C-alpha cells in the first residue's frame, strides 16, 4: 500500500495545505459556461468607419480542404488570426467555439487562421479543448497573411460583412460569445441588406 506523506515547507506549513486552495483555484474552470480566464477578455469590437474590402484569404484547413474568403461573400465572416503559443489566443478559443454554435444558423462563418505553425502543433492544441471547436481552422505556416491583413499582433480578429467589407476589428483577446458582440456580428446580415 502507498503511504501518504506530508512534506513540510521551511516555514513549517504543510505543502498539502497550500496545494488544496491552489487546486481549488485551478479547477474552478467555468461559471455559466465562461472560464475564469475568459472573464478577463474584452467585451467589445472596434467599428471600421470607412469601407475597406477584406484582403484575399485562401488557405487549407485541418482536413486539407481549401477555404477561399471570396466564396463566402453574402455571409458575415469572423476571421481570427491566432497561434497556440499565444495566451490570449488560447483564452478566447472556447468563446469562438460558442460564437460558432450560436450563429452557425444565422449566416455567420468563423475562420481561425493559425499563423506560423505546423498542423501537429494545432492538432495537439485542439485535442486539449473540450468541446473540440467545430469552426474552420486554417493554416498560414509562412505567416504571409499578417502583412496583407495588417496584423500587428496576435490575436487579431476581423469581422467581414456580407459585402466583403471589414466592419469591425479586435486586437487582443475577446469573449466572442458576449451578447453585445454576437448582436453586432449578426446585425451585419440585416444592415448590409438594407443598403
Amino acid at each position: 500500500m502507498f503511504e501518504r506523506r506530508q512534506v513540510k515547507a521551511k516555514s513549517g506549513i504543510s505543502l498539502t495545505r497550500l496545494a488544496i486552495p491552489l487546486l481549488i483555484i485551478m479547477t474552478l474552470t467555468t461559471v455559466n459556461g465562461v472560464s475564469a480566464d475568459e472573464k478577463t477578455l474584452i467585451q467589445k469590437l472596434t467599428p471600421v468607419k470607412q469601407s475597406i474590402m477584406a484582403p484575399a484569404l485562401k488557405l487549407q484547413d485541418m482536413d486539407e480542404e481549401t477555404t477561399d474568403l471570396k466564396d463566402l461573400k453574402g455571409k458575415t465572416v469572423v476571421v481570427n488570426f491566432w497561434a497556440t503559443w499565444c495566451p490570449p489566443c488560447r483564452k478566447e478559443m472556447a468563446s469562438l467555439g460558442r460564437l460558432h454554435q450560436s450563429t452557425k444558423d444565422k449566416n455567420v462563418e468563423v475562420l481561425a487562421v493559425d499563423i506560423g505553425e505546423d498542423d501537429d502543433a494545432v492538432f495537439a492544441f485542439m485535442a486539449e479543448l473540450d468541446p473540440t471547436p467545430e469552426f474552420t481552422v486554417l493554416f498560414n505556416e509562412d505567416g504571409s497573411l499578417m502583412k496583407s491583413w495588417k496584423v500587428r499582433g496576435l490575436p487579431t480578429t476581423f469581422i467581414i460583412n456580407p459585402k466583403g467589407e471589414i466592419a469591425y476589428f479586435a486586437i487582443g483577446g475577446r469573449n466572442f460569445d458576449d451578447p453585445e458582440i454576437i448582436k453586432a456580428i449578426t446585425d451585419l446580415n440585416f444592415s448590409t441588406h438594407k443598403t
Side-chain angles (χ1 to χ4, degrees), residues 62 82-85 90 93 114 117-133 137 139:
M62 295 175 79
W82 71 290
T84 63
W85 51 260
R90 295 172 74 94
M93 196 58 62
D114 180 81
E117 299 180 292
D118 62 21
D119 55 357
D120 288 340
V122 175
F123 276 100
F125 172 68
M126 288 297 172
E128 295 173 14
L129 300 177
D130 184 28
T132 303
V137 176
F139 296 98

Side-chain angles (χ1 to χ4, degrees), residues 24-37:
I24 291 169
I25 291 167
M26 288 169 51
T27 56
L28 219 168
T29 53
T30 60
V31 176
N32 294 330
V34 178
S35 74
D37 278 345

Side-chain angles (χ1 to χ4, degrees), residues 56-112:
L57 187 155
K58 186 176 182 180
L59 298 168
Q60 282 197 333
D61 66 16
M62 295 175 79
D63 296 320
E64 298 183 354
E65 300 287 329
T66 300
T67 297
D68 193 335
L69 183 60
K70 71 178 183 183
D71 295 337
L72 299 175
K73 201 166 183 181
K75 290 187 170 198
T76 296
V77 184
V78 177
V79 180
N80 176 262
F81 291 92
W82 71 290
T84 63
W85 51 260
C86 159
C89 301
R90 295 172 74 94
K91 282 183 185 180
E92 72 180 6
M93 196 58 62
S95 75
L96 276 170
R98 292 189 297 270
L99 170 68
H100 169 72
Q101 286 300 319
S102 65
T103 61
K104 65 183 178 182
D105 298 329
K106 297 178 181 171
N107 203 41
V108 175
E109 195 77 32
V110 177
L111 306 177

Side-chain angles (χ1 to χ4, degrees), residues 23 26 61 147 163 166:
L23 185 60
M26 288 169 51
D61 66 16
K147 186 174 181 183
K163 291 181 181 178
I166 299 173

